[in-house]
Amino acid sequence: MYTAESISKILKGELLQQTGNAEIEQILLDSRKLLIPETSLFIPLVSERRNAHQYIDEMYQKGVSNFVGSEPMSTTQYPKANIILVKNSLQALHTLVAYHRHQFQIPVIGITGSNGKTIVKEWLFQLLEKDYNIVRSPKSYNSQIGVPLSVWQMKPENQMGIFEAGISQPGEMVNLEKIIRPTIGIFTNIGEAHNEGFLNIRQKVNEKLILFMKSDVLIYCKDYLALNECVNNFHNLVGKREIDNDLQLLTWSRKTDADLRIIGVDKNDNHTRIDALYKQEPLFIRIPFVDEGSIENAIHCWALMLYLGKSQEVIQERMNLLGNIAMRLEMKQGINNSTIINDSYNSDLGSLAIALEFLQQQRQHPQRTVILSDILQSGKSEGSLYEEVAGMLEKKGIQKMIGIGKNISREKQSFSKIKSAFYATTEEFLKEVNPADFQNESILVKGARVFKFERIGKLLEQKAHQTILEINLSAIAHNVKQYQALLKPGIKLMAMVKAFSYGSGSFEIASLLQFHGVDYLAVAYADEGVELRRAGITLPIMVMNPEPSTFDAILQWNLEPELYSMHILEQFEEVVRYANKTDYPVHIKLDTGMHRLGFEQAELDQLAIRLKEDGIFRVQSIFSHLAGSEDPSMDAFTRKQTQLFNQMSALLQQQLGYAVIRHIANSAAIHRHPDLQLDMVRLGIGMYGIDSADTFQDKLRNISTLKTTVAQLKRIPIGDTVGYGGKWKAKVPSVIATVRIGYADGYDRMLGNGKGKMMIRTKLAPVIGVVAMDMLMLDVTHIADVQEGDEVIVFGEGLPVQQLAKWADTIPYEILTGISQRVKRVYFQE
């Protein structure tokens, strides 16, 4: 049991105040993820962009009474708090969890590498859950923060731990090694991911190998030459650090001698048979996957099972049953105006907490519902387990819960405070449920694999045609952080969510941005802002093109209009006066040379008088629009615009007599013109993964993938034509794939007749003939084994939207914003 007093001793910190000795069970690093205040320890971390000490007061007000901080805290301000002062809060987190790890003498598997860490971890859990009570990293918690949160989950009832570790720069793994302290190591592979933080690939390998300094065995593939060379020199590579025990190496290879020598890989009917020699004996496994990544991941798991001494019969049986791993939470449009969040492949307390956080972000519906299966292998008694689950649901404001499984049904009394229903099996639920009972709600579908909750997802999801746009919310958050890292302290961030968030969705993106603490949102028209308010978005929202017909809605929904002319100012002023409001927030647009919208210099005196008159308005910001911030050839004009903006905004602010936010920098200007950050920047297309500078583009992640499927395959002879007007003629016997997308979905007709291409089975196929309204044709003659129903990538990873825009002689903005609303949006969080 941990208390404030015992933790203070572990950390060698200063116990500034002790008001109680209550047990501490949860570590809280993010104020937005508070679940159980009474047993939580808040450790505020400090980064370049954010100091979490500012949330101590909020946490105290919400019932948290245990704090470890690196800045002095007032004992009089928090009279009921236990307060521990340390030099560095991140180091304190690492020290505390390293101490916790050392209390356990169980096998711990540590996994690192460039790719496959999470899949290997989850497959090992599937393979070994019948033999051990396993604690493992939730999702891909493998960072300097994720690893300690994972290892802190270790409890006396656990018999094995499986944790993954990822690093992005030298010096990080030494911290993670002390926390994980693996007895068994797996090094999955080595590649180019996060290379920018290292001098070369060998330095990266050596840093990752530090994880296994105290391990008994290391499993790895000898076919990665740099990895094999570094492992063989491991004792020298760790420098002066001493290794207490000899590290056993368990190797596998498809090319050379190894402990597990792969001698055959046969792919057939969505299964792969892998033959090998182990200790000179022939062995084989079959797995229900055919891709190379899955084959490599499976062999790592096979080697681990052999090391643990599992019988060949057990290994073969379990390998053949390996299932897909849900690497993401998917959000789709559901029936009856509902939203479905699908996490139907696993169910444990750690992943449930993550899913509930995601559900809580969704405020577009008045009701939140959870469909939950039995939680297996928790190590807790059923009573205490489901009491804890019920408490989590109550804290997150869940109004309705449906429990499926014999165990959760036996504990229905734990959920007495929540409207609930229980079913013994998934089949019983599907037989008895009425889909009409689900309306206007956000529904989390979360279950262990054996319950096959994907059938529930199919029942509740709105049926749509097979062309979908996938939006990666984690990638958007990553991109926002890349730009935030460039901002000077105190600079605010306005996120542009106009035009349906550049085609990506409205409230889904806005909810994410609100959760990640942006300061302002901007929409093009008032109806976009109203939609966000209806969905529960509370951030300030600037309307860039206010229309007189929407002024009443602007006032009703507390939106903030951009005023760009005396005419629009006078019209809005009349409405505000009639509503008997004062100090209404507005934003003033200045024209500094782009000549689209905005007040000109000659109008400033008159503008200042009108703005101060009768206290009708309160100016929130003054801004202008750069015409070519991304173009080096326009840098002189950018400087001219900036100089004029500084003069005009200074004059206007002086006459107003109060401080006003000033902003002129857009996505490109954030990194090309850092001196233009002023008080706030506006982040638009960069947030969606597109930047004009190649050097910065490399730091961004693709956020959207437009995909469809093959509807039909045809084999045509030489001379036959394809499509309207017979514009394309086969020069050789050809295979033609008709795919389910057309210009009504937003695919430009300019891309027909060989100009555009799509990706099938990782290869490009040209668009042939004329693009029709709902369909188009691809020449797939050169691509082997194409099948009806195959996935077709229109743009995404491997085929960026920038390339599509070049083929169409346009810009990515037009491609993204032109995607039809009939194309189903699927949102996911990694």
Side-chain angles (χ1 to χ4, degrees):
M1 184 180 86
Y2 293 100
T3 64
E5 184 178 8
S6 64
I7 288 176
S8 177
K9 292 177 181 177
I10 293 167
L11 300 180
K12 298 180 181 178
E14 183 181 356
L15 188 56
L16 296 181
Q17 177 172 278
Q18 181 179 1
T19 61
N21 234 12
E23 182 174 1
I24 293 171
E25 295 182 353
Q26 291 83 27
I27 291 178
L28 179 65
L29 305 179
D30 189 328
S31 61
R32 299 164 295 187
K33 299 180 180 181
L34 176 63
L35 273 176
I36 307 174
E38 299 79 13
T39 58
S40 293
L41 172 67
F42 184 50
I43 305 179
L45 303 182
V46 179
S47 66
E48 292 183 5
R49 286 289 305 161
R50 183 163 296 174
N51 185 338
H53 287 81
Q54 64 182 301
Y55 301 109
I56 289 175
D57 188 66
E58 175 189 344
M59 291 296 91
Y60 182 77
Q61 297 301 323
K62 290 182 177 180
V64 177
S65 58
N66 297 289
F67 300 91
V68 170
S70 56
E71 296 180 2
M73 286 172 269
S74 170
T75 55
T76 56
Q77 188 175 355
Y78 311 115
K80 297 181 180 180
N82 298 314
I83 301 174
I84 303 169
L85 182 64
V86 295
K87 292 182 179 179
N88 183 293
S89 51
L90 179 60
Q91 288 179 5
L93 170 68
H94 289 175
T95 300
L96 175 59
V97 180
Y99 175 89
H100 181 67
R101 161 66 183 94
H102 284 247
Q103 309 311 303
F104 298 88
Q105 304 300 317
I106 61 174
V108 171
I109 302 169
I111 307 170
T112 193
S114 296
N115 298 293
K117 296 185 292 294
T118 303
I119 295 291
V120 169
K121 178 199 68 187
E122 293 296 327
W123 277 359
L124 288 177
F125 177 77
Q126 291 182 18
L127 292 165
L128 297 170
E129 62 178 327
K130 291 183 179 179
D131 305 324
Y132 304 91
N133 184 308
I134 298 173
V135 58
R136 70 195 194 279
S137 310
K139 299 293 182 179
S140 54
Y141 273 37
N142 58 34
S143 67
Q144 299 288 301
I145 294 174
V147 167
L149 290 177
S150 300
V151 175
W152 181 255
Q153 297 178 108
M154 295 180 77
K155 298 291 189 293
E157 59 266 21
N158 296 134
Q159 299 166 316
M160 174 178 282
I162 310 176
F163 304 109
E164 55 179 294
I167 57 172
S168 58
Q169 62 187 19
E172 291 184 334
M173 190 60 87
V174 66
N175 299 321
L176 303 187
E177 187 278 331
K178 294 175 182 176
I179 297 170
I180 299 176
R181 192 52 62 89
T183 58
I184 301 169
I186 298 178
F187 202 131
T188 58
N189 51 44
I190 195 68
E192 301 301 316
H194 303 298
N195 255 6
E196 63 273 10
F198 300 90
L199 296 175
N200 52 51
I201 198 167
R202 280 172 171 75
Q203 185 192 26
K204 182 165 68 170
V205 172
N206 294 339
E207 177 71 19
K208 289 177 180 287
L209 282 172
I210 291 173
L211 179 62
F212 311 116
M213 284 178 57
K214 306 287 186 179
S215 299
D216 298 323
V217 63
L218 172 61
I219 297 168
Y220 75 100
C221 176
K222 292 176 68 175
D223 298 341
Y224 292 95
L225 298 181
L227 171 58
N228 189 47
E229 178 183 325
C230 292
V231 169
N232 287 326
N233 293 307
F234 185 48
H235 288 73
N236 294 326
L237 293 171
V238 295
K240 296 180 180 179
R241 299 186 181 96
E242 295 183 359
I243 300 179
D244 295 335
N245 54 316
D246 291 329
L247 179 68
Q248 176 187 344
L249 301 181
L250 199 168
T251 63
W252 69 267
S253 173
R254 297 172 69 168
K255 300 178 180 179
T256 187
D257 288 338
D259 298 306
L260 182 64
R261 175 71 167 97
I262 308 302
I263 57 176
V265 176
D266 182 25
K267 303 176 183 179
N268 186 24
D269 295 331
N270 296 319
H271 277 73
T272 301
R273 172 174 168 141
I274 308 172
D275 286 88
L277 293 174
Y278 181 66
K279 296 182 178 179
Q280 305 307 311
E281 291 189 20
L283 306 173
F284 76 90
I285 58 171
R286 294 180 79 247
I287 61 172
F289 302 93
V290 295
D291 63 285
E292 288 299 318
S294 293
I295 292 170
E296 180 179 84
N297 293 334
I299 296 173
H300 279 114
C301 294
W302 189 11
L304 187 279
M305 295 286 280
L306 291 169
Y307 172 76
L308 293 177
K310 303 300 176 183
S311 70
Q312 184 62 11
E313 293 76 15
V314 167
I315 294 174
Q316 287 179 341
E317 176 188 357
R318 296 181 186 178
M319 282 285 183
N320 197 39
L321 295 175
L322 285 176
N324 284 309
I325 302 300
M327 299 291 287
R328 61 197 201 181
L329 287 163
E330 283 191 342
M331 182 165 65
K332 302 179 180 181
Q333 190 169 357
I335 59 175
N336 306 324
N337 192 39
S338 291
T339 298
I340 309 301
I341 299 172
N342 194 344
D343 192 17
S344 58
Y345 287 93
N346 63 75
S347 184
D348 56 71
L349 289 175
S351 64
L352 176 60
I354 294 170
L356 288 174
E357 290 162 13
F358 186 67
L359 176 62
Q360 191 181 37
Q361 293 177 40
Q362 314 312 316
R363 301 183 180 181
Q364 59 268 36
H365 302 296
Q367 177 163 295
R368 297 188 185 94
T369 298
V370 172
I371 302 177
L372 182 66
S373 79
D374 286 348
I375 294 177
L376 308 176
Q377 292 286 332
S378 72
K380 296 174 177 283
S381 68
E382 288 184 6
S384 61
L385 169 64
Y386 292 108
E387 281 182 12
E388 184 173 346
V389 170
M392 294 169 69
L393 300 185
E394 291 168 23
K395 293 287 185 182
K396 291 299 182 182
I398 306 303
Q399 293 99 334
K400 183 169 70 173
M401 195 280 293
I402 295 171
I404 298 178
K406 295 179 180 178
N407 298 345
I408 196 170
S409 297
R410 277 196 298 266
E411 299 299 327
K412 62 176 65 178
Q413 69 278 1
S414 297
F415 301 91
S416 59
K417 296 181 180 179
I418 304 173
K419 181 181 178 181
S420 55
F422 297 88
Y423 303 86
T425 65
T426 305
E427 290 74 16
E428 182 182 328
F429 169 79
L430 292 171
K431 182 179 179 180
E432 297 185 14
V433 71
N434 182 359
D437 292 339
F438 297 92
Q439 297 191 28
N440 301 308
E441 54 195 293
S442 295
I443 306 167
L444 170 63
V445 180
K446 182 155 187 62
R449 283 187 309 127
V450 294
F451 286 87
K452 298 181 180 178
F453 269 18
E454 59 269 21
R455 293 176 292 172
I456 297 176
K458 289 178 182 178
L459 173 70
L460 298 179
E461 289 169 15
Q462 186 181 75
K463 304 301 182 285
H465 85 102
Q466 295 180 39
T467 299
I468 62 173
L469 181 67
E470 290 187 342
I471 311 297
N472 186 339
L473 299 177
S474 298
I476 294 177
H478 166 86
N479 295 340
V480 169
K481 290 176 182 176
Q482 293 301 308
Y483 287 98
Q484 284 179 324
L486 301 176
L487 300 182
K488 301 167 187 174
I491 304 299
K492 297 180 182 296
L493 178 66
M494 174 181 281
M496 313 300 289
V497 292
K498 61 181 181 177
F500 199 54
S501 289
Y502 294 69
S504 298
S506 53
F507 58 77
E508 297 89 351
I509 305 301
S511 293
L512 174 80
L513 296 170
Q514 180 167 274
F515 183 77
H516 284 282
V518 304
D519 300 285
Y520 254 97
L521 299 177
V523 297
Y525 295 100
D527 56 348
E528 296 175 315
V530 171
E531 181 182 359
L532 296 182
R533 286 284 186 253
R534 289 185 187 275
I537 302 301
T538 57
L539 283 174
I541 300 174
M542 180 175 79
V543 180
M544 303 188 74
N545 298 294
E547 298 170 310
S549 61
T550 65
F551 284 168
D552 288 334
I554 286 175
L555 293 182
Q556 178 183 352
W557 293 98
N558 193 29
L559 307 176
E560 303 178 8
E562 165 192 317
L563 303 181
Y564 52 81
S565 69
M566 292 304 301
H567 181 64
I568 200 77
L569 184 151
E570 290 167 353
Q571 288 180 298
F572 187 62
E573 180 183 11
E574 182 179 345
V575 174
V576 176
R577 284 185 185 276
Y578 184 78
N580 198 30
K581 292 182 178 291
T582 58
D583 287 333
Y584 196 85
V586 296
H587 301 260
I588 302 301
K589 175 76 171 289
L590 303 180
D591 183 0
T592 58
M594 189 168 175
H595 299 318
R596 187 170 63 182
L597 292 175
F599 291 96
E600 298 187 357
Q601 194 166 18
E603 300 176 283
L604 290 185
D605 289 337
Q606 182 186 3
L607 173 62
I609 293 172
R610 293 301 297 268
L611 289 174
K612 291 195 297 183
E613 192 175 47
D614 297 334
I616 295 293
F617 297 131
R618 176 80 182 187
V619 177
Q620 298 295 101
S621 81
I622 303 170
F623 71 104
S624 188
H625 203 114
L626 296 173
S629 63
E630 75 285 351
D631 187 351
S633 68
M634 292 192 69
D635 282 353
F637 187 74
T638 296
R639 288 192 294 272
K640 182 179 178 181
Q641 280 193 274
T642 303
Q643 184 178 11
L644 182 57
F645 176 73
N646 287 336
Q647 293 172 356
M648 294 173 68
S649 60
L651 178 62
L652 186 56
Q653 187 164 256
Q654 181 181 4
Q655 295 192 52
L656 289 174
Y658 54 83
V660 175
I661 297 170
R662 298 179 308 134
H663 51 107
I664 194 172
N666 55 6
S667 296
I670 291 174
H671 60 85
R672 288 205 69 244
H673 304 283
D675 56 310
L676 304 187
Q677 292 180 7
L678 304 180
D679 304 309
M680 183 161 68
V681 298
R682 301 190 301 273
L683 181 58
I685 194 70
M687 181 167 57
Y688 304 99
I690 299 171
D691 195 279
S692 57
D694 291 340
T695 53
F696 200 77
Q697 178 69 55
D698 292 341
K699 298 182 178 181
L700 303 179
R701 292 178 59 187
N702 172 67
I703 73 121
S704 55
T705 299
L706 180 60
K707 59 174 64 173
T708 186
T709 58
V710 174
Q712 190 176 21
L713 289 171
K714 291 183 179 293
R715 299 182 181 276
I716 62 173
I718 297 173
D720 272 21
T721 62
V722 171
Y724 287 118
K727 299 293 185 181
W728 186 87
K729 182 182 290 187
K731 297 179 180 179
V732 297
S734 302
V735 182
I736 307 305
T738 301
V739 300
R740 297 176 169 96
I741 190 172
Y743 61 75
D745 300 297
Y747 195 80
D748 199 321
R749 294 183 77 250
M750 286 281 292
L751 293 165
N753 297 311
K755 197 169 183 181
K757 296 179 177 64
M758 295 183 184
M759 186 176 289
I760 301 180
R761 294 180 177 259
T762 72
K763 293 184 179 179
L764 292 177
V767 179
I768 57 175
V770 175
V771 176
M773 180 180 290
D774 307 305
M775 296 280 183
L776 56 80
M777 281 69 78
L778 304 174
D779 181 4
V780 296
T781 309
H782 60 294
I783 304 176
D785 300 324
V786 176
Q787 305 289 325
E788 292 181 0
D790 274 0
E791 182 178 87
V792 180
I793 302 298
V794 182
F795 63 75
E797 291 291 344
L799 182 55
V801 69
Q802 293 94 319
Q803 180 61 65
L804 199 66
K806 288 180 181 178
W807 288 333
D809 295 322
T810 185
I811 57 176
Y813 292 80
E814 184 174 356
I815 298 291
L816 293 173
T817 58
I819 299 170
S820 168
Q821 290 302 297
R822 82 175 188 179
V823 173
K824 181 180 178 182
R825 269 72 172 174
V826 175
Y827 302 88
F828 66 91
Q829 177 172 289
E830 295 172 347

